[in-house]
mmCIF file of all heavy atoms in Angstrom:
data_model
loop_
_atom_site.group_PDB
_atom_site.id
_atom_site.type_symbol
_atom_site.label_atom_id
_atom_site.label_comp_id
_atom_site.label_asym_id
_atom_site.label_seq_id
_atom_site.Cartn_x
_atom_site.Cartn_y
_atom_site.Cartn_z
ATOM 1 N N VAL A 46 117.169 109.648 98.620
ATOM 2 C CA VAL A 46 116.748 108.940 99.870
ATOM 3 C C VAL A 46 116.587 109.965 100.977
ATOM 4 O O VAL A 46 115.648 109.890 101.772
ATOM 5 C CB VAL A 46 117.774 107.837 100.225
ATOM 6 C CG1 VAL A 46 117.382 107.195 101.578
ATOM 7 C CG2 VAL A 46 117.819 106.794 99.172
ATOM 8 N N ILE A 47 117.527 110.860 101.120
ATOM 9 C CA ILE A 47 117.448 111.883 102.156
ATOM 10 C C ILE A 47 116.208 112.790 101.973
ATOM 11 O O ILE A 47 115.549 113.128 102.975
ATOM 12 C CB ILE A 47 118.690 112.730 102.199
ATOM 13 C CG1 ILE A 47 119.919 111.892 102.652
ATOM 14 C CG2 ILE A 47 118.568 113.934 103.104
ATOM 15 C CD1 ILE A 47 121.262 112.588 102.512
ATOM 16 N N THR A 48 115.892 113.137 100.724
ATOM 17 C CA THR A 48 114.719 113.904 100.454
ATOM 18 C C THR A 48 113.466 113.196 100.894
ATOM 19 O O THR A 48 112.563 113.804 101.573
ATOM 20 C CB THR A 48 114.623 114.254 98.968
ATOM 21 O OG1 THR A 48 115.831 114.975 98.565
ATOM 22 C CG2 THR A 48 113.415 115.131 98.674
ATOM 23 N N LEU A 49 113.338 111.951 100.525
ATOM 24 C CA LEU A 49 112.189 111.138 100.911
ATOM 25 C C LEU A 49 112.098 110.998 102.471
ATOM 26 O O LEU A 49 111.016 111.094 103.063
ATOM 27 C CB LEU A 49 112.254 109.744 100.278
ATOM 28 C CG LEU A 49 112.065 109.678 98.782
ATOM 29 C CD1 LEU A 49 112.383 108.260 98.284
ATOM 30 C CD2 LEU A 49 110.653 110.048 98.363
ATOM 31 N N THR A 50 113.277 110.801 103.084
ATOM 32 C CA THR A 50 113.319 110.612 104.523
ATOM 33 C C THR A 50 112.883 111.899 105.248
ATOM 34 O O THR A 50 112.143 111.846 106.209
ATOM 35 C CB THR A 50 114.708 110.226 104.985
ATOM 36 O OG1 THR A 50 115.135 109.035 104.305
ATOM 37 C CG2 THR A 50 114.801 110.026 106.464
ATOM 38 N N GLY A 51 113.325 113.061 104.700
ATOM 39 C CA GLY A 51 112.943 114.324 105.349
ATOM 40 C C GLY A 51 111.434 114.548 105.308
ATOM 41 O O GLY A 51 110.850 114.965 106.306
ATOM 42 N N ILE A 52 110.824 114.238 104.206
ATOM 43 C CA ILE A 52 109.398 114.393 104.068
ATOM 44 C C ILE A 52 108.674 113.492 105.031
ATOM 45 O O ILE A 52 107.717 113.859 105.737
ATOM 46 C CB ILE A 52 108.915 114.210 102.628
ATOM 47 C CG1 ILE A 52 109.563 115.237 101.721
ATOM 48 C CG2 ILE A 52 107.398 114.231 102.533
ATOM 49 C CD1 ILE A 52 109.317 114.968 100.248
ATOM 50 N N SER A 53 109.124 112.220 105.077
ATOM 51 C CA SER A 53 108.435 111.177 105.874
ATOM 52 C C SER A 53 108.622 111.450 107.364
ATOM 53 O O SER A 53 107.668 111.317 108.131
ATOM 54 C CB SER A 53 108.987 109.780 105.522
ATOM 55 O OG SER A 53 108.763 109.491 104.157
ATOM 56 N N VAL A 54 109.828 111.825 107.768
ATOM 57 C CA VAL A 54 110.075 112.063 109.191
ATOM 58 C C VAL A 54 109.230 113.262 109.652
ATOM 59 O O VAL A 54 108.694 113.232 110.781
ATOM 60 C CB VAL A 54 111.568 112.283 109.447
ATOM 61 C CG1 VAL A 54 111.799 112.771 110.874
ATOM 62 C CG2 VAL A 54 112.342 111.003 109.230
ATOM 63 N N GLY A 55 109.161 114.293 108.823
ATOM 64 C CA GLY A 55 108.299 115.433 109.166
ATOM 65 C C GLY A 55 106.886 115.050 109.404
ATOM 66 O O GLY A 55 106.238 115.471 110.394
ATOM 67 N N SER A 56 106.341 114.168 108.548
ATOM 68 C CA SER A 56 104.939 113.709 108.698
ATOM 69 C C SER A 56 104.827 112.834 109.969
ATOM 70 O O SER A 56 103.843 112.940 110.703
ATOM 71 C CB SER A 56 104.549 112.929 107.480
ATOM 72 O OG SER A 56 104.610 113.696 106.336
ATOM 73 N N LEU A 57 105.810 111.966 110.201
ATOM 74 C CA LEU A 57 105.744 111.092 111.378
ATOM 75 C C LEU A 57 105.838 111.890 112.677
ATOM 76 O O LEU A 57 105.105 111.583 113.615
ATOM 77 C CB LEU A 57 106.885 110.099 111.308
ATOM 78 C CG LEU A 57 106.817 109.019 110.204
ATOM 79 C CD1 LEU A 57 108.137 108.215 110.197
ATOM 80 C CD2 LEU A 57 105.653 108.072 110.478
ATOM 81 N N LEU A 58 106.659 112.912 112.709
ATOM 82 C CA LEU A 58 106.774 113.714 113.939
ATOM 83 C C LEU A 58 105.505 114.534 114.142
ATOM 84 O O LEU A 58 105.189 114.902 115.259
ATOM 85 C CB LEU A 58 107.992 114.624 113.828
ATOM 86 C CG LEU A 58 109.355 113.952 113.905
ATOM 87 C CD1 LEU A 58 110.441 114.980 113.773
ATOM 88 C CD2 LEU A 58 109.537 113.196 115.225
ATOM 89 N N GLY A 59 104.788 114.818 113.057
ATOM 90 C CA GLY A 59 103.528 115.538 113.165
ATOM 91 C C GLY A 59 102.404 114.648 113.663
ATOM 92 O O GLY A 59 101.290 115.171 113.926
ATOM 93 N N GLY A 60 102.659 113.395 113.748
ATOM 94 C CA GLY A 60 101.622 112.493 114.293
ATOM 95 C C GLY A 60 100.945 111.713 113.206
ATOM 96 O O GLY A 60 100.624 112.231 112.157
ATOM 97 N N THR A 61 100.690 110.427 113.429
ATOM 98 C CA THR A 61 99.952 109.581 112.505
ATOM 99 C C THR A 61 98.666 109.193 113.220
ATOM 100 O O THR A 61 98.596 108.239 113.980
ATOM 101 C CB THR A 61 100.720 108.349 112.151
ATOM 102 O OG1 THR A 61 101.256 107.727 113.364
ATOM 103 C CG2 THR A 61 102.004 108.733 111.331
ATOM 104 N N VAL A 62 97.649 109.999 112.929
ATOM 105 C CA VAL A 62 96.416 109.927 113.702
ATOM 106 C C VAL A 62 95.778 108.527 113.700
ATOM 107 O O VAL A 62 95.424 107.970 114.744
ATOM 108 C CB VAL A 62 95.391 110.972 113.203
ATOM 109 C CG1 VAL A 62 94.078 110.875 113.968
ATOM 110 C CG2 VAL A 62 96.000 112.395 113.332
ATOM 111 N N ILE A 63 95.628 107.964 112.504
ATOM 112 C CA ILE A 63 94.894 106.745 112.356
ATOM 113 C C ILE A 63 95.621 105.582 113.021
ATOM 114 O O ILE A 63 95.015 104.810 113.810
ATOM 115 C CB ILE A 63 94.628 106.394 110.856
ATOM 116 C CG1 ILE A 63 93.732 107.478 110.255
ATOM 117 C CG2 ILE A 63 93.952 105.014 110.747
ATOM 118 C CD1 ILE A 63 93.486 107.288 108.774
ATOM 119 N N ILE A 64 96.930 105.465 112.786
ATOM 120 C CA ILE A 64 97.692 104.368 113.354
ATOM 121 C C ILE A 64 97.748 104.496 114.893
ATOM 122 O O ILE A 64 97.573 103.488 115.626
ATOM 123 C CB ILE A 64 99.156 104.352 112.810
ATOM 124 C CG1 ILE A 64 99.131 104.169 111.281
ATOM 125 C CG2 ILE A 64 99.993 103.255 113.474
ATOM 126 C CD1 ILE A 64 98.536 102.888 110.812
ATOM 127 N N GLU A 65 97.884 105.704 115.390
ATOM 128 C CA GLU A 65 97.981 105.887 116.820
ATOM 129 C C GLU A 65 96.629 105.567 117.475
ATOM 130 O O GLU A 65 96.588 105.046 118.593
ATOM 131 C CB GLU A 65 98.400 107.300 117.164
ATOM 132 C CG GLU A 65 99.855 107.624 116.838
ATOM 133 C CD GLU A 65 100.259 109.030 117.069
ATOM 134 O OE1 GLU A 65 99.459 109.787 117.664
ATOM 135 O OE2 GLU A 65 101.327 109.456 116.638
ATOM 136 N N THR A 66 95.549 105.875 116.790
ATOM 137 C CA THR A 66 94.218 105.581 117.290
ATOM 138 C C THR A 66 93.953 104.085 117.318
ATOM 139 O O THR A 66 93.429 103.584 118.320
ATOM 140 C CB THR A 66 93.156 106.292 116.425
ATOM 141 O OG1 THR A 66 93.387 107.709 116.428
ATOM 142 C CG2 THR A 66 91.773 105.985 117.020
ATOM 143 N N ILE A 67 94.301 103.400 116.258
ATOM 144 C CA ILE A 67 94.102 101.923 116.182
ATOM 145 C C ILE A 67 94.839 101.231 117.288
ATOM 146 O O ILE A 67 94.312 100.321 117.961
ATOM 147 C CB ILE A 67 94.538 101.403 114.779
ATOM 148 C CG1 ILE A 67 93.588 101.874 113.692
ATOM 149 C CG2 ILE A 67 94.586 99.892 114.808
ATOM 150 C CD1 ILE A 67 94.033 101.489 112.344
ATOM 151 N N PHE A 68 96.077 101.610 117.551
ATOM 152 C CA PHE A 68 96.900 100.896 118.531
ATOM 153 C C PHE A 68 96.924 101.583 119.898
ATOM 154 O O PHE A 68 97.680 101.211 120.815
ATOM 155 C CB PHE A 68 98.390 100.789 118.019
ATOM 156 C CG PHE A 68 98.529 99.858 116.868
ATOM 157 C CD1 PHE A 68 98.613 100.359 115.568
ATOM 158 C CD2 PHE A 68 98.563 98.506 117.013
ATOM 159 C CE1 PHE A 68 98.758 99.525 114.496
ATOM 160 C CE2 PHE A 68 98.712 97.636 115.953
ATOM 161 C CZ PHE A 68 98.800 98.148 114.683
ATOM 162 N N ASN A 69 96.045 102.602 120.034
ATOM 163 C CA ASN A 69 95.966 103.373 121.288
ATOM 164 C C ASN A 69 97.362 103.825 121.731
ATOM 165 O O ASN A 69 97.709 103.745 122.908
ATOM 166 C CB ASN A 69 95.327 102.483 122.379
ATOM 167 C CG ASN A 69 94.902 103.290 123.588
ATOM 168 O OD1 ASN A 69 94.513 104.472 123.431
ATOM 169 N ND2 ASN A 69 94.926 102.719 124.740
#
């Protein structure tokens, strides 16, 4: 779980372009 969380949090902190664009 920690391994999966580390990968996901790194991606989230790097920005989620499509979601942020959709919701401004």
Side-chain angles (χ1 to χ4, degrees):
V46 175
I47 291 171
T48 302
L49 291 172
T50 303
I52 297 172
S53 299
V54 170
S56 300
L57 291 172
L58 291 178
T61 52
V62 178
I63 297 177
I64 300 299
E65 291 177 10
T66 302
I67 290 175
F68 292 100
N69 196 30

